[in-house]
Amino acid sequence: MNLIEYFKDANLHELAIPSNIVYGTAIFERGAVAVIHKNDDEIEAWSGGLDGTLKQGAGSKRRVKLWLENGKLCWHCTGNPKNHDIFCKHCVAVALFIQNS
């Protein structure tokens, strides 16, 4: 299984809290995902960096990495505090980018 196949069936509501889905969707819809590196098993991208309100996806630009390890989704966002790796709005935006590629 690769990332595209994984996210084809993935339910983002199982990965992220509702507010991060709203904010991440706004980041994706405003085109604020820029791929650094992508292959079948991982993607690294810049996400965010928009002006406006939080609901419009505004906030700092963060570096996000999503990858599969033994069929399990792993992620890292530079905006997450140490030892608190949540599936944040930046991760949601990159996941939506994959779902729509």
Side-chain angles (χ1 to χ4, degrees), residues 20-55:
N20 284 340
I21 292 172
V22 170
Y23 306 148
T25 299
I27 291 169
F28 169 71
E29 288 178 347
R30 290 181 63 195
V33 174
V35 174
I36 299 166
H37 165 79
K38 180 181 172 207
N39 64 35
D40 288 344
D41 298 319
E42 71 179 34
I43 185 170
E44 195 165 358
W46 290 105
S47 178
L50 298 167
D51 293 330
T53 67
L54 191 59
K55 195 167 187 175

Side-chain angles (χ1 to χ4, degrees), residues 20 62 75-91:
N20 284 340
R62 303 294 187 198
W75 63 87
H76 177 72
C77 176
T78 57
N80 281 324
K82 188 176 183 178
N83 299 323
H84 187 71
D85 204 17
I86 62 170
F87 205 80
C88 65
K89 65 183 183 179
H90 303 102
C91 292

